[in-house]
Amino acid sequence: MPTSRSYRDSCGIARALDVVGERWALLVVRELLLAPQRFSELRHALPNVSSNVLADRLRELEHNGVIRRGPAPADGPRVYELSERGRRLEPILTALGDWGIAVPEPPAPSALSATSVLIFLRGAARPDPAAPPTTCRLELGGRVWTVRLAAGRAEVRPGEPARADVSLRTEPKTLSALLNDPGALATACADGSVAVVGDHAAVDRLLHAVTDPWSPGD
């Protein structure tokens, strides 16, 4: 059942933690930063949380105005999305992620969601501002994303691009490894862990846009 525990502390930090300090709460917020998601999609992105605990966190976050339920699409259940108040957590989570890169990686097996990798890519990519725009279609874990490199930055949005220079299909951990070592692309294509259709040079531009190599365990 949803928790009603409180630090009973008037400090703003303590009051914030009363709202988002429960286990899994901030990871739910992380998963909603780039796109609304259904309950089943959140379960897929957070494989180590039970359905009951996830349902509790969603109810608590909704009750506290951090998330809301969006309209039901024609093809399935309603989605969860961040409210304006919840969206204000984005820079806090970004800073927390930057701080956490120095923390050792958990023992295997560990999870890594598509949203996690794409948030890193969006923040760390520094493409050549003089290069022509590049649009990449990424299929990660069965979901499609559009990544556009232009004007020295990367834009990430959910869904199919109107037109793509290249399409890349892989898993989040493989993309993370390639951002850390772009030279491994040929091997990944050869062993089937990555499928590329279109301009391979566009994939190289995407992978080399991240100038500071990173992996979850750095």
Side-chain angles (χ1 to χ4, degrees):
M1 98 178 8
T3 182
S4 58
R5 290 180 295 187
S6 170
Y7 287 104
R8 299 181 64 84
D9 188 315
S10 294
C11 169
I13 296 171
R15 286 184 284 158
L17 291 174
D18 282 346
V19 174
V20 295
E22 288 292 331
R23 186 170 172 81
W24 298 106
L26 282 177
L27 295 188
V28 170
V29 175
R30 178 198 72 192
E31 289 305 311
L32 298 178
L33 285 176
L34 297 183
Q37 297 200 44
R38 299 168 179 165
F39 185 92
S40 60
E41 292 169 330
L42 290 168
R43 280 285 288 120
H44 178 75
L46 303 170
N48 295 315
V49 64
S50 70
S51 294
N52 288 343
V53 170
L54 178 58
D56 285 347
R57 294 296 90 84
L58 289 168
R59 280 193 290 267
E60 292 159 6
L61 291 168
E62 186 177 9
H63 173 75
N64 286 297
V66 178
I67 67 173
R68 61 191 173 212
R69 277 185 267 195
D75 60 345
R78 293 166 69 99
V79 297
Y80 293 91
E81 61 187 12
L82 291 177
S83 65
E84 290 304 314
R85 186 183 187 202
R87 181 65 57 188
R88 286 162 57 192
L89 288 165
E90 183 167 359
I92 298 168
L93 282 174
T94 300
L96 192 61
D98 291 343
W99 183 86
I101 285 176
V103 177
E105 186 178 356
S110 61
L112 185 67
S113 74
T115 299
S116 299
V117 179
L118 291 171
I119 288 172
F120 169 77
L121 173 61
R122 184 183 65 176
R126 299 291 184 273
D128 181 357
T134 299
T135 300
C136 302
R137 178 190 185 272
L138 292 185
E139 186 175 339
L140 296 177
R143 185 165 186 172
V144 176
W145 303 83
T146 296
V147 177
R148 179 174 169 81
L149 306 178
R153 61 187 293 271
E155 175 191 348
V156 177
R157 61 175 179 80
E160 296 277 357
R163 174 192 167 278
D165 298 293
V166 68
S167 178
L168 184 152
R169 185 179 73 251
T170 188
E171 294 299 318
K173 283 199 171 186
T174 303
L175 178 58
S176 172
L178 290 174
L179 290 172
N180 190 57
D181 180 15
L185 177 61
T187 300
C189 289
D191 67 21
S193 58
V194 171
V196 176
V197 177
D199 183 4
H200 280 243
V203 177
D204 288 335
R205 289 195 293 275
L206 173 68
L207 299 179
H208 284 91
V210 175
T211 55
D212 293 322
W214 168 86
S215 72
D218 279 357

